[in-house]
């Protein structure tokens, strides 16, 4: 009897250890989050394996994520490579507060992952690690063009108290951020506002810096205008588009406030980071 129970106990402990080991393994091998689109309607078509286009794409993406390319780093890469129909265009952009080494490793993961997720597609776009970085490529010029799709929206499941007033504070915050982001060289701005329940609302906007001010503003206003539809009353939301990124959260500082924010003029009801 005693032998049996100790055997059972032993195997129980072994299974427990195994479970703990598996859990630890799963945690450490946690996959990065990715949201991607492989040119849904396949408007651009496919390239053949081992074609010049594929070679050019691989060369371009390796250059983009090569650490030597980080001279004059500002988290934005815009490169093209090749001739005529084999020419490839790529854009890499990191969220404005991301440090160069993290940006680099994010884009490197994106490069490997996206070309596998969208095999043989001439055009693809992906956002990695909660939009730490965005990578896109195509056989058409994607530089300096305002593109609002493909897009995705993410929202917090909780509703704010005093929702009408909360929504107004969010809208004002995002409008003010848009003006500042558009005017900045990096097309990036962060700020906080105080909500009706004395909660801190954190906001961030960013455009690809190759956009004109008018286009950046147009893209972000498109995003602000969809919030009442997708994300009304929500305490946090993200509107993610190829040309611009917008996010706000309540009591959650989801960016590094010390990075890249210029000292703003004081405005009523807002507290700005600098
Ligand atoms: C791409 O990354 C996602 C998220 O980590 C993962 O689930 C997927 O298996 C990866 N795909 C490839 C082909 O690497
Ligand atoms: C609002 O929140 C701040 C920081 O949490 C706190 O110091 C302050 O007393 C609060 N004010 C009110 C009116 O509740």
């Amino acid at each position: 009897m005693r032998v049996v129970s100790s055997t059972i106990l032993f195997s129980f402990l072994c299974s427990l250890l195994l479970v703990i080991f598996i859990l630890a393994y799963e945690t450490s091998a946690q996959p990065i989050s990715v949201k991607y689109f492989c040119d849904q309607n396949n408007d651009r078509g496919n390239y053949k394996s081992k074609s010049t286009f594929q070679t050019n794409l691989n060369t371009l993406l390796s250059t983009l994520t090569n650490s030597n390319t980080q001279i004059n780093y500002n988290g934005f890469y815009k490169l093209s490579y090749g001739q005529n129909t084999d020419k490839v265009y790529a854009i890499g952009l990191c969220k404005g507060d991301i440090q160069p080494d993290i940006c680099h490793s994010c884009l490197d993961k994106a490069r490997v992952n996206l070309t596998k997720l969208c095999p043989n597609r001439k055009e693809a776009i992906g956002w990695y690690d909660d939009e730490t970085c965005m990578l896109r490529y195509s056989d058409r010029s994607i530089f300096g063009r305002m593109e609002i799709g493909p897009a995705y929206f993410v929202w917090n499941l909780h509703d704010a108290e005093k929702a009408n007033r909360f929504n107004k504070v969010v809208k004002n915050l995002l409008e003010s951020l848009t003006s500042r982001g558009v005017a900045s060289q990096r097309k990036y701005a962060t700020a906080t506002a105080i909500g009706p329940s004395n909660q801190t609302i954190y906001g961030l906007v960013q455009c690809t810096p190759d956009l004109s001010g008018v286009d950046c503003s147009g893209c972000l206003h498109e995003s602000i205008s969809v919030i009442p539809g997708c994300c009304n009353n929500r305490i946090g939301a993200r509107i993610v588009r190829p040309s611009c990124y917008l996010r706000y959260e309540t009591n959650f500082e989801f960016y590094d406030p010390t990075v890249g924010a210029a000292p703003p003029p004081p405005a009523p009801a807002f507290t700005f980071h600098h």
Side-chain angles (χ1 to χ4, degrees):
M1 216 35 206
R2 199 166 277 169
V3 173
V4 169
S5 58
S6 64
T7 308
I8 291 171
L9 185 66
F10 180 72
S11 35
F12 172 75
L13 283 176
C14 281
S15 337
L16 194 68
L17 275 176
L18 189 67
V19 167
I20 289 170
F21 176 76
I22 288 170
L23 281 178
Y25 178 78
E26 298 245 317
T27 312
S28 64
Q30 203 169 40
I32 51 166
S33 75
V34 53
K35 184 78 191 157
Y36 69 99
F37 301 92
C38 307
D39 181 23
Q40 282 159 311
N41 303 322
N42 204 5
D43 296 328
R44 307 307 307 173
N46 290 14
Y47 61 80
K48 292 200 172 64
S49 296
K50 302 196 176 104
S51 62
T52 309
F53 187 91
Q54 182 174 41
T55 309
N56 289 349
L57 176 64
N58 289 340
T59 306
L60 183 65
L61 295 183
S62 307
T63 310
L64 189 122
T65 57
N66 185 310
S67 47
N68 294 330
T69 312
Q70 288 200 16
I71 303 161
N72 298 326
Y73 173 82
N74 64 2
F76 177 62
Y77 303 87
K78 183 180 78 131
L79 295 173
S80 62
Y81 186 76
Q83 301 292 322
N84 307 319
T85 55
D86 291 321
K87 187 164 179 178
V88 194
Y89 301 80
I91 284 179
L93 179 68
C94 285
K95 188 161 149 272
D97 63 333
I98 298 300
Q99 295 301 324
D101 54 335
I102 295 175
C103 179
H104 175 252
S105 67
C106 182
L107 284 171
D108 207 35
K109 277 188 286 190
R111 166 177 75 98
V112 175
N113 188 275
L114 191 59
T115 47
K116 286 189 184 131
L117 289 175
C118 302
N120 295 82
R121 288 307 180 90
K122 286 189 175 174
E123 182 167 303
I125 184 166
W127 289 263
Y128 287 80
D129 289 346
D130 288 331
E131 298 96 26
T132 291
C133 69
M134 179 264 285
L135 179 67
R136 60 187 296 217
Y137 54 80
S138 183
D139 67 327
R140 68 193 171 95
S141 176
I142 48 175
F143 302 157
R145 300 170 61 116
M146 195 262 266
E147 298 197 353
I148 59 169
Y152 65 96
F153 312 153
V154 181
W155 53 88
N156 194 296
L157 294 177
H158 294 102
D159 282 347
E161 293 168 12
K162 303 171 190 162
N164 285 344
R165 281 168 61 201
F166 176 86
N167 291 340
K168 282 200 188 93
V169 174
V170 168
K171 188 164 195 291
N172 286 342
L173 172 65
L174 296 174
E175 294 280 0
S176 142
L177 276 172
T178 296
S179 311
R180 282 184 44 220
V182 164
S184 75
Q185 200 192 350
R186 299 178 64 216
K187 302 278 190 294
Y188 171 75
T190 62
T192 62
I194 302 300
S197 304
N198 195 30
Q199 70 273 58
T200 305
I201 305 165
Y202 296 85
L204 181 156
V205 299
Q206 184 171 18
C207 294
T208 57
D210 59 333
L211 286 195
S212 69
V214 171
D215 283 346
C216 175
S217 172
C219 188
L220 288 170
H221 276 111
E222 191 71 30
S223 295
I224 292 172
S225 74
V226 302
I227 290 177
C230 70
C231 315
N232 208 29
N233 307 343
R234 302 304 194 178
I235 62 169
R238 295 175 223 177
I239 313 294
V240 188
R241 305 183 185 281
S243 287
C244 67
Y245 180 60
L246 177 157
R247 182 175 181 184
Y248 72 88
E249 300 289 347
T250 297
N251 295 333
F252 171 35
E253 194 174 49
F254 61 92
Y255 56 82
D256 179 348
T258 63
V259 178
F270 293 125
T271 324
F272 288 99
H273 292 292
H274 54 88

